[in-house]
Each structure stands twice: as C-alpha cells, then as structure tokens.
Amino acid sequence: MTPGTPKSQVDTSKPHPARIYDYLLGGKDNYPVDQALAGQLTPEAQEGARQNRAFMHRAVRWVARSGIDQFLDIGTGIPTEPNLHQVVQEVNPKARIVYTDNDPIVLRHAEALLISTPEGLTDYIEADVRRPGEILDHARSLLDFRRPVSLSLIALMHFVPDEDDPYGITRTLIEALAPGSVLVLSHLTGDFLTPEQNRISEYRSSGINLRPRTRAEVERFFDGLDLVEPGLVTHWYKDTPAPADSTGTDLLYSGIARVR
C-alpha cells in the first residue's frame, strides 16, 4: 500500500459479501445491515461458509506440499485465522503470498495479513478482480511469474455476473501463469437447493449481484487446464481422510487444476 493513499470508506448502509461471510463464520467485523441479511438465509448458508473455509485450508496445504511456494489469493475477505499464509507457511516458511480484495474493511485488516514468517513474504493489493491487469501488474513486482504460482479464486466468481465476463477475467489471470501453476476455485451452486432453501432473491434485493452456476458452468472456469483428482466435486480432498462436513446440502463446487 502506498503511504498517503486515501483509505476507502466502509459503507455500512448496505450489506457486503465479505462482512456477511465473516458473520456466518462467527466473526465480529460486520454491521447490523449484514446481520439482517444473514438472518434471512437458511442454516445451509452458515454450513456452506464453514465448508468453503475448510476447503481452502485443505487445498492450499496440498498445493504447498506439492512444491508451489507462491500464492496469489484474489477475493481474500476479512481475515479469519488460520489465514492462507499461515497454512502454507506452516508447510514452507519461505512461501510468498499476495492477497487481493476490493473491500475497504479488508484493507483495514491488511496489517494482520502482512505478518509473514521472516523467511517468506505477504503483501496486500486493494484491487477489483474485474480489472485483472492491475492485479497482475502489482503481483509481478512481488511474485516470480516465470515459476509456478497458485491462483486462488475461492467463493469469488459467483459475485461476478455474466455481463462482466467472469470466464474472460479468469482466462486473463491464468494466461499470465507459468506451466505447473494451479487454479484453486470454489463456486456457489443452486444445483442441490430446494425452492425453500434458495435465498438468492434476498441477496439480489439487497444489492448483491449473486450468480450461482451449474456444474457445467463452473467447469468452464477450468477449460484448458488439467483437473487434479478427484476433479470438480462438492467436497474436495486429497491425501487426507474425507472431510467431516461431507453430509447435508451441498452449496459449492470446488476443484484444483494445473496449468499446462
């Protein structure tokens, strides 16, 4: 962050996805407007938030164990320990992590995200995924894109509507990565929701443009990549026991794929 840069103001008049997610995870960095919307959601929403967080932990730990030591996490959200850098630097203290988000409340917590091991690095970019070129320009000053990078788009792209070209955004980011890099992605789906469980309209009426996608639509984000077993699933895990959260209503598809 550049010294002297004016800090964006937190808008507490409208709910924000990062603050709702924080509330669902039991955090305190949210406001009554976020709590009110969260209160309209079904119990599955809280379970989905927990499952997504657990997926992130399993996925990036596996990526770090596979030998990748550079991470670009877009759509970071409000810090909830253990954060991504804490998970991967436990595996490799030399890992370098660049976080990105466009929510001012995340910027307020950036100092917590910047606490790296002495051997590694963490940094934070305030930027919007809909402008991937800006993210890449900054990230290149911190990460070596000639070597593999782990790109995380976790519970993010369902907030990017079709008219903003989510597939084109993802393709721009992937094309900047060296062979051997990975895409780690999770995405909301309505494939398994009953009409009573589907509360998408509550999000949209509050000004949050939520776009769940089908399995086929989520799979398109991995076009041209090699999905790592077990592929695109609702409960991704590898080299560990099955997660204890693998029962109940599924809200997310998740997967990891390698760049050729």
Side-chain angles (χ1 to χ4, degrees):
M1 292 174 291
T2 304
T5 300
K7 290 189 176 181
S8 304
Q9 296 300 308
V10 176
D11 185 352
T12 62
S13 67
K14 293 183 286 189
H16 190 282
R19 301 195 308 255
I20 295 169
Y21 188 59
D22 175 74
Y23 178 80
L24 293 173
L25 289 173
K28 299 179 180 179
D29 292 296
N30 48 75
Y31 296 93
V33 67
D34 309 302
Q35 299 161 15
L37 178 53
Q40 298 177 48
L41 304 180
T42 63
E44 286 81 10
Q46 186 171 20
E47 178 62 15
R50 190 183 69 82
Q51 289 178 8
N52 184 68
R53 193 73 184 173
F55 161 69
M56 185 274 284
H57 292 161
R58 291 193 301 271
V60 300
R61 183 175 290 111
W62 180 83
V63 171
R65 286 174 176 166
S66 75
I68 293 178
D69 61 0
Q70 302 186 105
F71 295 79
L72 175 57
D73 180 56
I74 304 177
T76 298
I78 296 167
T80 304
E81 292 192 348
N83 295 299
L84 186 150
H85 73 279
Q86 294 169 315
V87 174
V88 301
Q89 288 185 339
E90 185 178 279
V91 177
N92 182 355
K94 295 182 179 180
R96 302 170 71 87
I97 298 92
V98 175
Y99 290 109
T100 306
D101 207 294
N102 71 331
D103 182 10
I105 201 169
V106 180
L107 178 62
R108 290 200 329 202
H109 291 278
E111 289 185 1
L113 289 171
L114 297 177
I115 301 176
S116 170
T117 58
E119 306 96 319
L121 171 143
T122 65
D123 204 344
Y124 178 80
I125 308 168
E126 186 180 20
D128 194 314
V129 70
R130 292 170 295 183
R131 297 191 294 275
E134 294 180 14
I135 295 173
L136 292 170
D137 287 345
H138 188 106
R140 284 189 179 99
S141 68
L142 301 161
L143 305 176
D144 182 359
F145 276 71
R146 297 168 298 180
R147 299 194 300 109
V149 172
S150 175
L151 168 65
S152 300
L153 301 175
I154 296 176
L156 172 64
M157 300 310 287
H158 47 244
F159 294 113
V160 181
D162 295 340
E163 55 266 31
D164 285 339
D165 192 14
Y167 300 112
I169 290 169
T170 305
R171 180 54 47 194
T172 296
L173 293 165
I174 290 171
E175 286 177 350
L177 304 178
S181 297
V182 296
L183 169 64
V184 180
L185 181 142
S186 62
H187 196 293
L188 181 68
T189 185
D191 284 358
F192 309 101
L193 295 178
T194 66
E196 293 75 24
Q197 292 170 329
N198 192 326
R199 301 295 174 87
I200 305 306
S201 60
E202 279 80 356
Y203 267 93
R204 290 176 175 165
S205 64
S206 298
I208 298 174
N209 199 340
L210 191 63
R211 172 64 165 91
R213 293 185 169 91
T214 65
R215 189 185 192 283
E217 289 174 317
V218 176
E219 199 165 29
R220 281 187 59 193
F221 288 105
F222 296 98
D223 281 355
L225 307 178
D226 295 326
L227 276 163
V228 173
E229 289 294 333
L232 182 63
V233 293
T234 54
H235 297 275
W236 190 97
Y237 68 99
K238 191 173 181 67
D239 302 335
T240 64
D245 55 15
S246 58
T247 59
T249 301
D250 295 321
L251 297 178
L252 296 157
Y253 286 115
S254 54
I256 299 178
R258 292 193 183 278
V259 177
R260 297 170 185 166

